[in-house]
Amino acid sequence: MNDADRTRQIVDELARVDGDRPGAKSPSVKHALMAQNPFRFLRGSAQLFYHDLANGLVTLPLPFVNTARQTTVLGDCHMANFGFVTEKGSYGKHIVFGPNDFDEACIGSAGWDLTRFITSLYVGADFACGFNEGHYVEDGTRRHHDLKVPRPEDVTKAAQAFLTRYAAVCLEIVDDRTVRRRTLDSFGKHHPLRHFLKKARKRAIGGKNFETKSSLGKAVAIRGAGLQFKNDPERYLRLDPATERSVREAFRPYVDDEVLDVVRRLGQGTGSIDMPRYYLLVGPRGASTHAELPMCQIVEVKQQRAAAALHNFPSVDPRNCVGPAHLTVNVQRRVQREPDLLLDHAEWDGAYWLIRSRHHARVTARPEQIFLSKGGGAKRLKKYAEACGEALALAHSRGDSRSVRFEISIAAAFCQDGDALVETACAYAALTIEDWRRFRTFVLLT
């Protein structure tokens, strides 16, 4: 396929989902971010991955298609979609590491998630190197020219460690189903995730940084007239009275307390950055003090579209036939050991909406924080990949709590042709980086 044809495919797929054709004359916020670097491009183009799967540009090893059973999958499984969250949502106390983005979640092939995650390791390594050398842009991140990136063979070893840990956890579950209840909630002294766990604990209710660094503390102004969202035009858009009233009336039945304030959230995420979303500040009536802040939470109401995989694989499982927000809720409730207490869906204003609490202590490691270190970061990358492998295995296994049929089938697939997944993902990562260059050139020249 020549460059022109591939560029046309990329642009068509982005336009189909985003509703906005990429171009320099009026680029959307999402497309502008995707043009910054290949990792942003990967994050914003999950639909392209499934287009390429359906059309043979990337091919899963046959055992992962024919042998492994379907399960709950993230759909957009990459290294930036794992992090720390609080079980049970805003008011929980137990902080765990695991998947933290379910916008593209559905019932499908575990091979999708495994391949896409390994792809993200290779693209992430390329990004970290290119960013530190000044070839790539990433807003809000500082360069460290004295740090090194793992060697290509170290990335491959990390990918293999990810798969090895994933398979080992699945086999543990075959022997003992209670392993599904396990969480990743502590890490050794030299583990790369230990630092991020400490940050999350400090941001939780009762932590010393709760009022300044938590999702709630950073968003809310404490004033005598009452708590409200800060005046930040780059993040929060004040609504006209009619729209605010409509949002309040539509979503007040889903929350336990009063809706103290409402804004439209701007510029959040990458894959769904252009999707309308509202933030509700929920808490006791008249709340206006520091003491009342822990009794409040931010509730996100986000428009949901169909999971990326389902355009090309619409018949993969009948359980995917519910509304998009309903499907997200169904999958998230299964894969989390203790799902958010506030996790719901609604139809409003002609669209599907996902309703969920914003975790106070949510913390995610950026790729460059994992890849870059003075010694090259091979060990830290491997440890991070192993943690993600375990967390993903637990998430996939919870798709069916009645049996271990999935675990047995995926273990058999690994025995038949597990090594080929790394080769497949490595090749697709190279294509992704080339696709980013095609996309960036198109955006700059049109």
Side-chain angles (χ1 to χ4, degrees):
M1 182 185 304
N2 61 41
D3 274 356
D5 289 342
R6 181 57 176 172
T7 299
R8 190 177 303 110
Q9 283 186 351
I10 295 167
V11 171
D12 287 348
E13 280 301 297
L14 292 175
R16 177 181 63 79
V17 172
D18 301 338
D20 186 14
R21 198 165 186 83
K25 292 182 179 178
S26 57
S28 68
V29 175
K30 175 180 177 179
H31 295 159
L33 286 172
M34 290 174 64
Q36 290 184 347
N37 61 70
F39 196 81
R40 283 279 190 180
F41 178 82
L42 176 74
R43 290 179 60 182
S45 60
Q47 70 271 32
L48 187 62
F49 173 72
Y50 293 103
H51 168 276
D52 292 344
L53 270 174
N55 289 278
L57 273 75
V58 56
T59 305
L60 297 184
L62 283 178
F64 291 89
V65 178
N66 298 332
T67 303
R69 295 178 62 87
Q70 309 296 339
T71 190
T72 47
V73 298
L74 307 187
D76 186 18
C77 186
H78 56 73
M79 59 183 300
N81 274 348
F82 287 76
F84 289 95
V85 296
T86 311
E87 288 193 313
K88 297 185 178 181
S90 295
Y91 298 135
K93 295 182 179 180
H94 187 205
I95 297 172
V96 300
F97 177 79
N100 63 8
D101 191 312
F102 303 94
D103 288 345
E104 308 294 352
C106 63
I107 309 298
S109 168
W112 297 346
D113 279 358
L114 295 169
T115 302
R116 191 157 170 79
F117 181 86
I118 298 172
T119 298
S120 80
L121 290 179
Y122 285 105
V123 176
D126 173 83
F127 158 69
C129 181
F131 169 73
N132 234 31
E133 293 176 355
H135 304 315
Y136 299 147
V137 177
E138 177 67 12
D139 291 342
T141 303
R142 187 165 61 91
R143 291 185 172 84
H144 299 274
H145 299 289
D146 58 331
L147 301 183
K148 299 179 181 178
V149 180
R151 299 169 301 173
E153 55 265 37
D154 294 326
V155 181
T156 296
K157 288 178 181 178
Q160 293 167 339
F162 163 77
L163 292 178
T164 298
R165 187 63 190 139
Y166 177 97
V169 172
C170 288
L171 289 174
E172 282 187 67
I173 295 168
V174 172
D175 293 334
D176 180 4
R177 298 187 193 186
T178 65
V179 171
R180 287 193 182 112
R181 296 288 297 169
R182 189 164 73 200
T183 58
L184 283 76
D185 52 16
S186 65
F187 298 92
K189 184 177 181 180
H190 300 294
H191 198 285
L193 288 172
R194 183 180 177 89
H195 166 70
F196 297 98
L197 175 58
K198 287 183 177 180
K199 286 179 64 175
R201 287 174 174 167
K202 290 177 183 178
R203 296 179 183 187
I205 293 177
K208 69 176 185 179
N209 293 337
F210 170 69
E211 291 192 8
T212 56
K213 296 294 186 179
S214 71
S215 298
L216 181 68
K218 289 189 293 185
V220 174
I222 301 174
R223 297 169 180 161
L227 301 180
Q228 61 182 229
F229 288 105
K230 292 179 179 178
N231 181 24
D232 186 348
E234 293 187 358
R235 292 175 177 266
Y236 311 120
L237 175 67
R238 287 288 166 185
L239 307 178
D240 63 83
T243 302
E244 180 175 346
R245 182 168 58 252
S246 179
V247 173
R248 284 177 179 270
E249 291 175 353
F251 299 107
R252 174 60 180 88
Y254 295 90
V255 301
D256 292 335
D257 235 324
E258 295 298 317
V259 178
L260 305 177
D261 198 11
V262 180
V263 291
R264 178 165 175 171
R265 179 65 165 98
L266 305 175
Q268 178 73 9
T270 298
S272 58
I273 192 169
D274 290 331
M275 296 296 287
R277 70 180 76 200
Y278 300 97
Y279 275 8
L280 315 180
L281 177 58
V282 176
R285 184 190 297 271
S288 59
T289 66
H290 290 271
E292 292 167 302
L293 189 63
M295 300 173 65
C296 300
Q297 66 173 319
I298 296 173
V299 174
E300 179 185 63
V301 177
K302 185 175 74 170
Q303 186 175 329
Q304 199 78 348
R305 59 190 169 213
L310 301 186
H311 178 77
N312 295 104
F313 300 94
S315 304
V316 68
D317 193 284
R319 290 170 289 179
N320 290 327
C321 294
V322 297
H326 191 176
L327 179 58
T328 300
V329 170
N330 286 349
V331 174
Q332 186 172 342
R333 283 177 176 163
R334 283 175 179 248
V335 304
Q336 290 182 317
R337 186 185 73 158
E338 297 286 349
D340 296 1
L341 295 178
L342 177 54
L343 181 62
D344 217 324
H345 60 96
E347 292 185 42
W348 171 69
D349 199 28
Y352 297 98
W353 298 82
L354 179 66
I355 307 161
R356 60 188 175 193
S357 56
R358 289 281 298 169
H359 291 223
H360 300 320
R362 180 175 172 132
V363 172
T364 300
R366 299 190 304 273
E368 67 273 16
Q369 293 175 306
I370 299 299
F371 282 102
L372 295 173
S373 71
K374 290 186 177 181
K379 289 184 178 180
R380 60 188 285 111
L381 175 60
K382 181 181 176 183
K383 289 181 178 180
Y384 178 81
E386 288 174 332
C388 291
E390 178 166 350
L392 186 62
L394 293 169
H396 284 173
S397 73
R398 292 171 185 149
D400 179 8
S401 60
R402 303 166 300 167
S403 73
V404 291
R405 291 178 296 177
F406 166 74
E407 291 81 2
I408 292 172
S409 70
I410 197 72
F414 272 104
C415 288
Q416 294 173 54
D417 207 2
D419 292 341
L421 276 176
V422 176
E423 297 174 9
T424 296
C426 182
Y428 192 69
L431 175 61
T432 299
I433 294 166
E434 286 301 313
D435 283 346
W436 170 76
R437 294 193 176 105
R438 294 182 179 104
F439 170 75
R440 184 172 182 271
T441 299
F442 179 85
V443 169
L444 292 176
L445 293 180
T446 53

